[in-house]
């Protein structure tokens, strides 16, 4: 069963969890162990390797989103 309410088909972790992990890391700079403690309080068991995978997954998804929408953004910027 997927963790998080917005899990893509076939994915173990939901997009909401992927984004939350990355935001915590970016905004508050906690160590993996600190994030894992927070997850434990929320009854979510996650290994340090899984956290690293979530960070990487976020960057991959963000890159895909950028590639998909960059042409439209450039066009909009050219037209003010």
């Amino acid at each position: 069963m997927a963790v998080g309410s917005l899990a893509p088909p076939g994915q173990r972790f939901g997009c909401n969890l992927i984004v939350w992990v990355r935001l915590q890391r970016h905004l508050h700079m906690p160590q993996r162990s600190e994030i894992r403690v927070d997850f434990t309080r929320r009854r979510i068991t996650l290994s340090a390797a899984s956290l690293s995978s979530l960070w990487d997954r976020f960057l991959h998804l963000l890159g895909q989103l950028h590639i998909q929408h960059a042409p439209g953004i450039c066009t909009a910027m050219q037209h003010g």
Side-chain angles (χ1 to χ4, degrees):
M1 184 164 90
V3 177
S5 60
L6 302 173
Q11 297 292 314
R12 182 171 177 210
F13 302 109
C15 293
N16 54 342
L17 184 65
I18 293 169
V19 170
W20 186 87
V21 165
R22 188 61 193 175
L23 284 175
Q24 290 302 307
R25 179 71 173 150
H26 182 74
L27 296 174
H28 306 292
M29 302 302 279
Q31 299 297 315
R32 285 183 192 99
S33 60
E34 294 171 304
I35 293 175
R36 289 179 67 208
V37 166
D38 192 30
F39 276 147
T40 300
R41 286 188 208 125
R42 298 168 192 261
R43 296 178 159 179
I44 299 172
T45 303
L46 214 55
S47 69
S50 291
L51 281 175
S52 293
S53 293
L54 288 174
W55 294 339
D56 292 344
R57 181 81 177 135
F58 175 85
L59 293 176
H60 174 75
L61 292 171
L62 184 62
Q64 286 183 327
L65 189 63
H66 173 76
I67 289 168
Q68 181 180 357
H69 292 283
I73 293 169
C74 288
T75 300
M77 290 175 66
Q78 290 172 354
H79 294 101

